[in-house]
Amino acid sequence: MHLAANQFHAAMPTLASQLYWLPRRVAALWRLATQQARRLKKLRQPVARWSIRALLSLMILASIALSAVMEHTTSSIRHSAGPLLERNLPMLRHLGELGGSLQRYQQALEQLSAAPASHRHFLAQLPQLRAGLERDFLALRLGMGEQPALAAINASYWRLLAQGPALVTKLEQAGLNASSAELAAITAAFRIEAAQLRQRVAVLHESVQGAIYAGGASAEKDAMGMTRLVHLFDILALLTSGFLLYHVRARFRVEQQLEHAAGHDPLTGLAHRRSFEACLRSLPATPHAVVLGTIDRFSRIVGGLGHGFGDRMIVGLAGRIRQVAEASGGQVFRLDGANFAILYRWARDSAEFEAAISALRDEVRVPYSHQGHEIFTTLSLGAASYPEHGPQAEALLRNADAALQQARQAGGDTLVHYSEEINAQAGARLALEARLRHAVERHELELHYQPQQSLADGNLVGFEALVRWRRDGQLVPPDQFIALAEESGLIVELGNWVLEEACRQLHAWQAMGVAPMVAVNISPRQFAAPGFLPHIEALLATSGVNPAQLELEITESVVMEDAEGAIALLRRLRELGLTLAIDDFGTGYSSLAYLSRFPIHKLKIDQSFVRNMQGVAEQAAIVQATIGLGHSLGLTVIAEGVETEAQRALLSGWQCDQIQGYHYSRPLPALAASRFLHASDQRQAA
């Protein structure tokens, strides 16, 4: 009995433990899933979002299914455990107690049979034994009720009780003769009936015990099945939690990357402009210097070797600049393109600052080498100091940038410290640019024409159209506004006006019966503008001029920046019938291989060579070589800047074709140029 009861009761704690902890596990997992779902709400990867939703849905379905299975299993266990707890276990106890009373009764009969003389002792304990049997049998009947299994026991029990009075009577009559045959027969019948009753009780006991064993085994099986389901659910929960944690970690990494990207340049990894401005605003009120720098002529490097090479070069230089700046206590930022900013926590007049700038410039001067290319670089630097040059970050940046622009205008590879004069000059340039933008509409521009002479016969061969700006009745020197127009982009509009005005004047001269060549200088920005060729085509169509009388002078450096594109455009221009010339030849980086492919008519020797050719032998050699090169290519050669008769004589002796300069004539307004043209025409007719 105790083994069966123990087996059943051993299954109960496991089941109770699972029933106790499972709702808490499900609740904890649900809280975790809800929290992670909120964190992953903005997850960018669609696959991750759908996989997480699928897992959460699976977990919800699994928890619902597990709850249903547990409810069913609990009901099954409750259904099977109810009879065991309410009937079988009490019946087992009562049967055991009845069996014990019968055993004691039977033992007393065995002693009586073995020693008949002890009948008085038997008679003394018989009431107690009988009372025990009646008590235990009554308890069994109350527990079992009127069941068929109790009928045989009931009949045997009453037969046993019915034989009791006869046995007592015989024992009392026997007296000392307790061994009479009749007494022996009654005792034997009584023993047999007691043994049969005990056997029936034992059979019923085994039957009830088997039912308890079966119920316990069934409950244990259900509990173990539920335990396995809970373990499976725990494994699924762990996998889901791991998956969620993986994506949360991925989310954190993405957020960290986004946070880093929000404050750093993606190419170089340096902090960018917004980080630099935020850093300046958060600095304590102690002296510090802001240095802005740009890599000189970086656009030319990109134009020659491509943007990919330029990016690699920026990355390499950024690493070197960062290393040398941080070694000096500086902090480096990339603003944009080839522009950097360096923050030093010293005043600009300190020895540490001077040493840091010197180390920085020396490092950048070291050639950058990559894939067989060796590029020599320099830095233009502008510096401003706190608090002398501005109490706020915006003022420091503005003033440092003004100093940087001054360094670039000075030719680069230099450091310019900010001063009030720089701002004054910048203000004057801004004012000049503003007035220049209105110069065309206010009719303040005019063309002057500088005559060009043939050295073969001394006659006029044409004019070069030169733009002049008459502001408030005074001519503004070209060097004060041409570079400004180029820098600001106004040169395209200005160049288009020059072309239109030159064509108008050329048409007027052609109407007078003369047809001089008119040369117009084309700026780099104008040549590279997308609408340059369509504008030329439309201008030739509307003006009615002879294209052969219009000469376009293209700067040498312009055609070399994109040689193949320049060749294609020059061919289109030549197909229109225009005359083409390379201006300022010798001052750039010409490739003779490309020069032979350019569809041009004329080379123009820069005045810097002409001016010094008498005193500098190398300059004279360059002029002679240029003349010989041009002639060998079938080109006309013209020298500009000829101011003396001696220069003219040298050029004539070297077989130069044409000259232009003050020796022949200064640039002339349109009316004076018309008179010069008329006089020259008269001399040729004479």
Side-chain angles (χ1 to χ4, degrees):
M1 179 184 75
H2 295 295
L3 289 175
N6 290 340
Q7 183 183 19
F8 176 76
H9 286 293
M12 293 300 105
T14 302
L15 177 61
S17 175
Q18 299 299 338
L19 292 175
Y20 177 80
W21 286 110
L22 182 63
R24 288 161 175 78
R25 291 176 181 172
V26 173
L29 181 63
W30 180 255
R31 286 195 300 271
L32 175 63
T34 304
Q35 292 171 0
Q36 306 312 329
R38 286 197 209 101
R39 303 200 73 141
L40 295 167
K41 186 176 181 181
K42 298 181 179 179
L43 196 64
R44 297 176 182 275
Q45 296 86 349
V47 175
R49 288 203 304 270
W50 281 109
S51 59
I52 290 170
R53 291 174 181 173
L55 272 178
L56 292 178
S57 301
L58 179 61
M59 285 302 304
I60 294 172
L61 293 176
S63 63
I64 294 173
L66 184 59
S67 299
V69 171
M70 289 187 66
E71 178 64 27
H72 175 74
T73 305
T74 304
S75 299
S76 176
I77 293 175
R78 188 182 301 113
H79 179 74
S80 61
L84 294 177
L85 297 174
E86 296 173 2
R87 184 180 69 249
N88 290 0
L89 288 177
M91 184 187 305
L92 191 66
R93 185 179 73 252
H94 297 323
L95 286 172
E97 292 172 350
L98 180 59
S101 297
L102 285 171
Q103 184 179 9
R104 290 190 294 272
Y105 206 108
Q106 192 174 9
Q107 287 175 352
L109 289 175
E110 294 292 339
Q111 291 175 359
L112 178 62
S113 299
S118 61
H119 65 279
R120 296 186 184 279
H121 176 71
F122 176 78
L123 290 174
Q125 63 178 350
L126 184 59
Q128 182 180 359
L129 294 173
R130 185 183 179 90
L133 282 174
E134 291 176 351
R135 182 186 66 249
D136 294 337
F137 186 74
L138 179 61
L140 180 62
R141 286 188 62 185
L142 292 175
M144 292 185 62
E146 297 298 332
Q147 295 188 18
L150 193 59
I153 295 175
N154 187 49
S156 180
Y157 171 74
W158 289 113
R159 284 195 301 271
L160 180 64
L161 289 182
Q163 293 176 2
L167 178 61
V168 171
T169 301
K170 291 297 181 182
L171 288 175
E172 290 176 348
Q173 292 176 356
L176 295 174
N177 189 18
S179 58
S180 62
E182 187 178 358
L183 177 60
I186 294 174
T187 303
F190 200 90
R191 287 169 51 203
I192 292 172
E193 193 64 42
Q196 290 177 350
L197 178 59
R198 187 181 177 192
Q199 184 179 4
R200 290 187 176 95
V201 170
V203 171
L204 183 58
H205 184 279
E206 290 179 359
S207 175
V208 173
Q209 192 175 38
I212 292 175
Y213 271 116
S218 176
E220 184 179 10
K221 179 180 178 181
D222 290 340
M224 291 303 297
M226 186 179 297
T227 301
R228 284 191 290 271
L229 286 177
V230 171
H231 290 336
L232 181 62
F233 185 81
D234 287 343
I235 293 173
L236 180 60
L238 288 175
L239 292 176
T240 303
S241 301
F243 184 79
L244 291 174
L245 290 175
Y246 169 79
H247 281 287
V248 169
R249 185 179 178 186
R251 173 68 177 177
F252 286 158
R253 286 199 300 268
V254 171
E255 289 178 351
Q256 290 174 353
Q257 292 171 358
L258 291 176
E259 182 179 358
H260 183 272
H264 293 77
D265 170 57
L267 179 63
T268 62
L270 297 175
H272 55 38
R273 177 183 291 274
R274 288 192 299 274
S275 300
F276 178 48
E277 294 171 351
C279 180
L280 283 182
R281 286 191 291 268
S282 63
L283 285 177
T286 56
H288 54 267
V290 173
V291 178
L292 301 185
T294 187
I295 301 172
D296 295 325
R297 293 171 295 279
F298 182 72
S299 59
R300 180 176 296 177
I301 296 171
V302 171
L305 299 175
H307 288 279
F309 182 87
D311 287 344
R312 290 189 294 271
M313 179 177 171
I314 285 291
V315 172
L317 287 178
R320 289 164 51 187
I321 291 173
R322 179 177 187 174
Q323 183 177 9
V324 71
E326 289 180 350
S328 303
Q331 189 175 357
V332 183
F333 304 81
R334 186 191 181 200
L335 303 183
D336 52 46
N339 300 316
F340 296 88
I342 309 172
L343 175 63
Y344 292 103
R345 308 301 173 92
W346 308 303
R348 66 183 179 93
D349 55 355
S350 64
E352 293 86 354
F353 179 79
E354 295 297 333
I357 293 298
S358 178
L360 177 65
R361 295 177 65 188
D362 290 343
E363 177 63 30
V364 175
R365 287 192 185 104
V366 176
Y368 173 78
S369 299
H370 182 76
Q371 296 180 349
H373 296 285
E374 188 178 49
I375 307 298
F376 290 84
T377 56
T378 56
L379 278 179
S380 294
L381 300 171
S385 295
Y386 175 88
E388 299 95 320
H389 301 146
Q392 297 177 341
E394 291 76 9
L396 280 177
L397 282 174
R398 182 175 62 253
N399 293 336
D401 188 67
L404 173 62
Q405 299 309 316
Q406 190 79 3
R408 295 181 64 182
Q409 292 170 14
D413 193 20
T414 186
L415 168 67
V416 174
H417 293 281
Y418 172 76
S419 64
E420 294 296 336
E421 291 77 9
I422 292 177
N423 259 356
Q425 293 174 8
R429 286 177 62 85
L430 287 175
L432 189 64
E433 179 183 340
R435 296 199 62 173
L436 183 58
R437 290 184 179 276
H438 298 289
V440 175
E441 63 187 59
R442 293 173 180 171
H443 305 290
E444 294 178 351
L445 299 179
E446 56 186 64
L447 285 188
H448 287 194
Y449 300 88
Q450 186 168 28
Q452 298 173 335
Q453 183 184 34
S454 170
L455 290 179
D457 54 16
N459 293 328
L460 174 71
V461 292
F463 297 93
E464 180 180 5
L466 304 172
V467 64
R468 296 293 184 261
W469 181 16
R470 190 175 298 277
R471 189 186 66 185
D472 300 330
Q474 302 293 325
L475 287 177
V476 178
D479 58 357
Q480 291 186 11
F481 72 90
I482 295 297
L484 178 61
E486 186 78 39
E487 178 184 336
S488 63
L490 289 172
I491 195 67
V492 176
E493 180 183 355
L494 188 64
N496 290 339
W497 180 87
V498 171
L499 275 172
E500 293 166 4
E501 182 64 17
C503 287
R504 187 196 62 78
Q505 184 61 58
L506 182 57
H507 182 269
W509 284 335
Q510 289 177 353
M512 295 168 52
V514 291
M517 181 78 69
V518 175
V520 177
N521 190 276
I522 304 300
S523 74
R525 282 201 174 189
Q526 186 181 8
F527 186 78
F532 175 64
L533 180 62
H535 181 259
I536 293 290
E537 293 173 338
L539 186 60
L540 292 176
T542 57
S543 65
V545 300
N546 181 6
Q549 303 304 120
L550 182 62
E551 178 182 300
L552 303 184
E553 295 184 356
I554 314 297
T555 306
E556 176 187 11
S557 59
V558 174
V559 295
M560 290 307 302
E561 286 185 1
D562 179 15
E564 295 298 335
I567 290 173
L569 181 54
L570 290 174
R571 285 176 177 166
R572 294 289 303 277
L573 294 173
R574 180 156 181 165
E575 290 171 359
L576 294 176
L578 298 169
T579 302
L580 304 177
I582 295 295
D583 194 15
D584 301 333
F585 184 78
T587 59
Y589 302 91
S590 295
S591 166
L592 296 182
Y594 278 116
L595 182 62
S596 64
R597 296 175 54 197
F598 289 148
I600 57 176
H601 303 85
K602 185 183 292 187
L603 286 183
K604 195 169 191 179
I605 303 174
D606 187 69
Q607 60 183 339
S608 61
F609 298 111
V610 175
R611 185 181 305 116
N612 299 318
M613 65 181 182
Q614 288 178 281
V616 181
E618 292 81 4
Q619 302 282 39
I622 290 174
V623 172
Q624 293 181 70
T626 303
I627 296 171
L629 175 63
H631 288 166
S632 65
L633 294 175
L635 304 177
T636 301
V637 180
I638 181 173
E640 64 176 351
V642 178
E643 299 182 353
T644 65
E645 177 59 31
Q647 292 172 343
R648 181 185 184 282
L650 280 175
L651 291 169
S652 179
W654 293 334
Q655 305 300 312
C656 184
D657 300 301
Q658 301 170 2
I659 63 169
Q660 172 185 337
Y662 284 4
H663 176 70
Y664 184 49
S665 175
R666 291 177 174 273
L668 304 171
L671 184 57
S674 297
R675 289 197 294 266
F676 191 94
L677 177 60
H678 183 68
S680 176
D681 187 60
Q682 286 183 339
R683 286 195 300 270
Q684 292 181 29

